[in-house]
Amino acid sequence: MKKWLSRTARGGAVGRATVWGGLLALGLGVTRSATADDAPDAARDGFRWEESSPTSLGLWEGQHPVLVYNHGVIRDPRAPADRARSSYIHPLYGLDGEVLTDDFPEDHWHHRGVFWAWPHVEVDGRPHDLWMLRGIRHEFERWGVREAGRDRAVLEVHNAWKTARRKVLSETVRIVAHPARPDGRWVDLEFTWAPEGEPLRLVGAEDKSYGGLTLRVAPGTDTVITTPLGSDPRDLYMTPLPWADLSRRLDATGRVSGVAILIAPDHPDFPPTWLTRHYGVLCLGWPGVEGRTLTADEPVRVRYRLWVHRGGATVGQLAEQHRLYAHPDPQ
């Protein structure tokens, strides 16, 4: 039996997913969660992309949800109307089907799963704020590659950054999901940004540097943020790092899950700066407070890897994951 439903996290998150094997109990829409026992089905069935709503495209591996890419405009009735957004990943799922990301959290309505945005976008001599969705927004244009097999799933999306005046930048997003393994799952992200006509300047937040790829994690407790500097209960500001991990005991499951962001070594200004927050967010800060001007004749390409894992992660495990990403073992 297949049941369409809207998965919600705290704050009325609106990511959608298609759930197989749902058990409807007394019409209440109760479903069976995917567990590790279903892993053989994933290996047998491979990946598939499915439209989970007119605004969202879901990825599954066998019976396991992997992620949802929201290409259309997503709204939450509790949030201010101007916080409607598109072009981001939510939910990102854990290995056992748990929702790892948050959307429309009440403390930061603009936070949205796995997203990429900047607080200062200057174009045509005017300031805009893609972070807070003021004066500029992502807009879906068309699909590129969409593939699904046993060894990987690929999605390529072409977006525009638009102000009230015009399209100011062409964006290509490439998502590559790898099969789940006992130690976790890799989801690779690649972005290419090319201004349309006039140059466009990106600048991070003052004194914090955030602006770029951002991960907002689902509500939980016992949060541990691990970086090459170790696990520190303090938040980091404007700190150069090649990777960072946030693990916590999720309220929805009572179990510990985590996600790491790994930076490709060919990233501009490697390693970029970060802002980490123990309330549940990892923020890259590239190009940071000094900013960078993008021009149409020199598109910028950046690459990242998400490592989704059960439980916590040690410095050694995370360093090895980054090594595998930076220097993959020959096949």
Side-chain angles (χ1 to χ4, degrees):
M1 179 186 298
K2 182 164 66 174
K3 170 70 179 175
W4 300 100
L5 83 153
S6 179
R7 288 287 186 98
T8 59
R10 185 184 65 179
V14 232
R16 280 87 171 169
T18 307
V19 174
W20 288 86
L23 292 176
L24 298 183
L26 301 176
L28 298 179
V30 178
T31 64
R32 179 181 64 83
S33 299
T35 69
D37 294 337
D38 297 318
D41 293 329
R44 182 180 69 246
D45 297 337
F47 289 103
R48 69 182 182 277
W49 294 101
E50 290 188 3
E51 292 184 1
S52 49
S53 81
T55 58
S56 305
L57 181 68
L59 176 64
W60 290 72
E61 186 184 14
Q63 295 188 22
H64 294 258
V66 177
L67 59 84
V68 174
Y69 180 80
N70 297 295
H71 54 90
V73 177
I74 305 296
R75 297 178 173 86
D76 187 300
R78 301 168 311 108
D82 63 1
R83 294 300 185 267
R85 65 300 240 18
S86 70
S87 309
Y88 65 103
I89 295 171
H90 174 77
L92 175 68
Y93 291 96
L95 299 182
D96 299 315
E98 70 273 28
V99 175
L100 295 176
T101 50
D102 202 359
D103 200 11
F104 291 99
E106 294 182 0
D107 56 359
H108 294 78
W109 290 117
H110 54 283
H111 284 185
R112 42 203 189 266
V114 179
F115 67 104
W116 40 99
W118 287 261
H120 302 292
V121 182
E122 184 178 321
V123 62
D124 296 332
R126 294 177 172 84
H128 306 83
D129 187 344
L130 191 59
W131 182 266
M132 294 289 290
L133 303 158
R134 292 172 177 162
I136 187 170
R137 293 178 181 270
H138 285 96
E139 184 174 302
F140 171 78
E141 289 192 321
R142 62 183 174 87
W143 300 113
V145 176
R146 191 190 298 184
E147 300 174 352
R150 292 181 181 276
D151 60 340
R152 68 174 189 169
V154 180
L155 182 68
E156 184 179 273
V157 192
H158 298 276
N159 298 323
W161 293 11
K162 287 189 174 180
T163 67
R165 296 164 58 90
R166 66 179 181 90
K167 175 181 176 179
V168 299
L169 181 140
S170 292
E171 172 183 88
T172 301
V173 179
R174 184 177 175 85
I175 302 170
V176 180
H178 300 263
R181 304 186 305 180
D183 63 344
R185 181 195 299 283
W186 296 334
V187 178
D188 293 336
L189 306 176
E190 178 181 315
F191 304 92
T192 303
W193 296 301
E196 293 283 322
E198 296 300 314
L200 179 149
R201 185 165 179 79
L202 300 177
V203 184
E206 300 84 348
D207 302 321
K208 298 178 182 178
S209 83
Y210 65 76
L213 184 67
T214 304
L215 167 71
R216 178 63 193 250
V217 180
T221 57
D222 304 327
T223 302
V224 177
I225 293 177
T226 306
T227 73
L229 305 176
S231 298
D232 192 324
R234 298 171 297 180
D235 294 335
L236 299 177
Y237 293 79
M238 300 177 62
T239 305
L241 300 167
W243 51 263
D245 178 87
L246 195 154
S247 302
R248 66 182 356 174
R249 189 173 304 282
L250 299 175
D251 289 348
T253 66
R255 300 191 301 272
V256 176
S257 299
V259 186
I261 300 177
L262 315 174
I263 312 298
D266 59 2
H267 194 284
D269 307 316
F270 181 84
T273 57
W274 295 64
L275 170 72
T276 66
R277 295 292 211 188
H278 280 74
Y279 68 73
V281 70
L282 298 178
C283 306
L284 264 75
W286 182 85
V289 296
E290 294 184 1
R292 175 164 175 162
T293 299
L294 281 57
T295 59
D297 59 342
E298 293 185 2
V300 172
R301 172 177 168 268
V302 297
R303 297 187 301 125
Y304 309 100
R305 170 169 286 177
L306 306 178
W307 181 49
V308 173
H309 57 88
R310 295 186 184 95
T314 67
V315 171
Q317 289 172 319
L318 291 160
E320 174 62 9
Q321 287 297 320
H322 189 262
R323 184 196 69 78
L324 291 171
Y325 182 39
H327 306 288
D329 292 335
Q331 299 298 317

